[in-house]
Amino acid sequence: MTRIGIIVGSTRSSRVGDQVGAWVHGVASQRTDAEFELIDLATFALPVLDEPQMASTGVYEHEHTQRWSAAVGACDGYVFVTAEYNHGVPGALKNAFDFLYREWANKAVGFVSYGAEGGVRAVESWRVIVANAHLADVRGAVHLRRYGGEFRQDVFTPEAHRAKELSALLDQVIAWTRALAVLRDPAG
């Protein structure tokens, strides 16, 4: 069964990403065409990148990196739940991304973003970043406006049409993940 990791990328104490991630997981878990795992970056407590070897070697000295590698590597594709900080990607998620390399390769990723303008600038940045790790980003995305939209006093209440947008995103991530399987395991 195809396994999709839903990675919640904000680690701030005042974050709303955990609410968005729980919603994504709740909608996704109603599907039967893949398994979905919620991976909350905050639970890994990764320091600023501290591995002595380059990530492309796959040699990890620290236990925190090994745990992160195991969680990411167990998935066939991903949905990044990403905030937009200062017109860019959240530092904690970028740092976590940089810890690994091979674990990302030949997999698909989709984005659910939130921010002042729906997180679109963060997603634009992510598309450039993930390409270097051989991650295929899908076209569909869900962009949630942080202010004056579906967040009221830091409580996320998605509008009904968002589930349809998310379903279309998941359709693409699952299809691309399956199509890329031959690259991950050429022997079949």
Side-chain angles (χ1 to χ4, degrees):
M1 177 71 77
T2 301
R3 184 182 188 100
I4 306 297
I6 300 164
I7 300 178
V8 176
S10 176
T11 60
R12 293 171 60 168
S13 60
S14 61
R15 66 190 178 147
V16 295
D18 55 342
Q19 296 174 54
V20 177
W23 169 73
V24 171
H25 187 256
V27 171
S29 294
Q30 296 174 16
R31 300 174 67 110
T32 59
D33 55 349
E35 295 176 351
F36 299 90
E37 179 180 354
L38 188 61
I39 302 172
D40 188 343
L41 183 56
T43 65
F44 288 86
L46 292 171
V48 174
L49 183 57
D50 64 347
E51 286 292 335
Q53 300 286 330
M54 292 179 56
S56 61
T57 67
V59 176
Y60 305 129
E61 181 177 303
H62 302 296
E63 186 273 337
H64 54 259
T65 311
Q66 294 165 5
R67 280 190 333 109
W68 176 237
S69 170
V72 170
C75 297
D76 303 306
Y78 310 96
V79 174
F80 284 8
V81 176
T82 184
E84 179 180 303
Y85 294 161
N86 299 313
H87 291 212
V89 302
L93 184 53
K94 176 62 167 78
N95 179 63
F97 185 84
D98 290 343
F99 265 89
L100 308 176
Y101 185 77
R102 294 179 183 174
E103 294 83 350
W104 303 118
N106 300 317
K107 298 178 182 180
V109 63
F111 301 99
V112 175
S113 62
Y114 58 95
E117 298 299 326
V120 296
R121 292 170 292 235
V123 171
E124 289 172 355
S125 295
W126 275 121
R127 292 186 192 284
V128 173
I129 293 165
V130 302
N132 188 62
H134 303 278
L135 261 169
D137 62 299
V138 301
R139 173 71 175 92
V142 178
H143 301 290
L144 305 166
R145 294 178 68 88
R146 178 76 169 88
Y147 302 102
E150 295 155 300
F151 297 88
R152 288 179 182 70
Q153 295 162 341
D154 291 332
V155 175
F156 174 58
T157 308
E159 295 174 1
H161 73 279
R162 296 298 189 184
K164 186 175 180 179
E165 289 177 4
L166 179 57
S167 181
L169 168 67
L170 294 171
D171 287 346
Q172 291 178 16
V173 169
I174 292 167
W176 280 63
T177 295
R178 289 181 177 155
L180 293 167
V182 69
L183 296 176
R184 291 189 304 278
D185 184 11

